């Protein structure tokens, strides 16, 4: 009896979703497509990764200023994405490679304190960062992010869209300036070069619309207070 009730509830849920989310043949819904305000997430705003060794909060780095031991040492990147260097103060590390952080420290030290400082930053330990891919893809799940990643590459990691997927409606959930945000993207337009292939960042959640959308995402998308303009949700 319980299984029958569960099946009935699932059918009712799918019926409600069909009324709120357009058919798989095209775009639809109130989530805006590729809005300009859908920028990089905290604390990586304004900085795209350039190399695989991209630093983030929680990573531990070893800063070595050669021949100046009191300026060297290991420390963890804080939640704001920064480390503290003697004489300089806070240095933003999140979203940068070790080489970029080392060059910034060397430049700051050289400008005021040392002549031609030799600085090296090494990654000692890294916090695993992932993205979530769900909905109508062949292999939903968590995937590691080790460098620059686009939406098309993300879908490819999940083995592509599944049967019954709506490639014209892919929703990306992200935290920007402390708020949960969402935006829609059209894979067909991206593949044709009519829309830019957006960058995907650690902790993003990518959901492909379609018949295999899970009950969890059905409920979430149904209850989000999306309007015509891109806005945060709670």
């Amino acid at each position: 009896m319980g299984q029958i009730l569960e099946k009935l509830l699932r059918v009712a849920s799918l019926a409600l979703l069909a009324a709120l989310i357009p058919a798989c043949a095209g775009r639809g819904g109130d989530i805006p497509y590729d809005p300009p305000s859908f920028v990089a997430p905290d604390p990586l705003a304004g900085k795209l990764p350039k190399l695989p060794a991209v630093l983030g909060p929680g990573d531990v780095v070893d800063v070595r200023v050669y021949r100046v031991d009191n300026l060297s040492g290991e420390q963890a990147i804080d939640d704001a994405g920064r480390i503290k260097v003697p004489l300089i103060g806070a240095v933003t590390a999140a979203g940068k490679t070790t080489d970029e952080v080392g060059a910034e420290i060397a430049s700051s030290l050289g400008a005021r304190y040392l002549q031609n400082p030799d600085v090296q930053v090494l990654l000692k330990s890294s916090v695993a960062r992932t993205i979530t891919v769900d909905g109508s893809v062949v292999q939903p799940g968590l995937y590691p992010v080790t460098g620059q990643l686009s939406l098309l590459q993300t879908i490819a990691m999940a083995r592509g869209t599944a049967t019954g997927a709506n490639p014209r409606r892919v929703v990306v959930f992200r935290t920007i300036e402390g708020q949960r945000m969402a935006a829609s993207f059209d894979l067909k337009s991206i593949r044709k070069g009519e829309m830019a292939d957006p960058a995907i960042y650690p902790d993003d959640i990518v959901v492909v619309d379609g018949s295999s959308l899970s009950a969890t995402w059905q409920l979430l998308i149904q209850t989000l207070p999306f309007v015509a303009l891109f806005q945060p949700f709670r």
Side-chain angles (χ1 to χ4, degrees):
M1 189 69 180
Q3 292 180 344
I4 295 175
L5 180 59
E6 183 179 348
K7 289 182 179 180
L8 289 174
L9 289 174
R10 185 176 302 174
V11 171
S13 179
L14 288 173
L16 179 59
L17 178 65
L20 295 176
I21 299 181
C24 293
R27 294 186 177 188
D30 294 327
I31 303 175
Y33 280 79
D34 196 14
S37 57
F38 200 64
V39 296
D42 309 336
L44 304 177
K47 184 68 179 181
L48 286 176
K50 294 182 179 181
L51 293 174
V54 178
L55 300 173
D59 290 347
V60 177
V61 295
D62 183 14
V63 179
R64 292 282 127 198
V65 182
Y66 290 96
R67 295 182 296 277
V68 189
D69 292 340
N70 61 339
L71 297 182
S72 302
E74 294 184 10
Q75 58 179 299
I77 300 174
D78 65 20
D79 291 339
R82 301 172 299 184
I83 59 174
K84 291 185 178 179
V85 180
L87 300 180
I88 300 175
V91 175
T92 299
K96 300 178 181 178
T97 66
T98 53
D99 287 344
E100 289 172 333
V101 176
E104 182 174 340
I105 294 172
S107 176
S108 297
L109 289 174
R112 299 181 60 184
Y113 303 106
L114 302 176
Q115 185 174 6
N116 299 321
D118 187 357
V119 180
Q120 184 179 27
V121 176
L122 301 175
L123 178 61
K124 302 296 291 186
S125 65
S126 179
V127 175
R129 286 179 287 277
T130 61
I131 56 173
T132 300
V133 187
D134 208 338
S136 293
V137 292
V138 174
Q139 190 172 318
L142 295 173
Y143 292 90
V145 180
T146 57
Q148 186 172 0
L149 188 66
S150 73
L151 180 58
L152 288 181
Q153 290 171 328
T154 299
I155 300 301
M157 286 195 305
R159 304 296 186 266
T161 54
T163 302
N166 175 14
R168 300 185 69 87
R169 182 169 163 78
V170 179
V171 180
V172 179
F173 297 88
R174 178 177 298 166
T175 299
I176 301 174
E177 296 183 356
Q179 295 180 305
R180 292 293 291 172
M181 312 285 273
S184 298
F185 296 92
D186 184 338
L187 291 182
K188 286 191 174 182
S189 295
I190 293 172
R191 287 168 178 151
K192 291 179 181 179
E194 299 170 351
M195 179 182 288
D197 189 8
I200 299 298
Y201 296 89
D203 298 325
D204 279 358
I205 300 173
V206 179
V207 182
V208 179
D209 184 22
S211 59
S212 60
L213 199 67
S214 70
T216 300
W217 289 117
Q218 290 174 24
L219 178 62
L220 177 59
I221 293 176
Q222 288 168 20
T223 57
L224 293 181
F226 290 120
V227 293
L229 297 177
F230 185 70
Q231 290 187 356
F233 65 88
R234 292 178 175 83

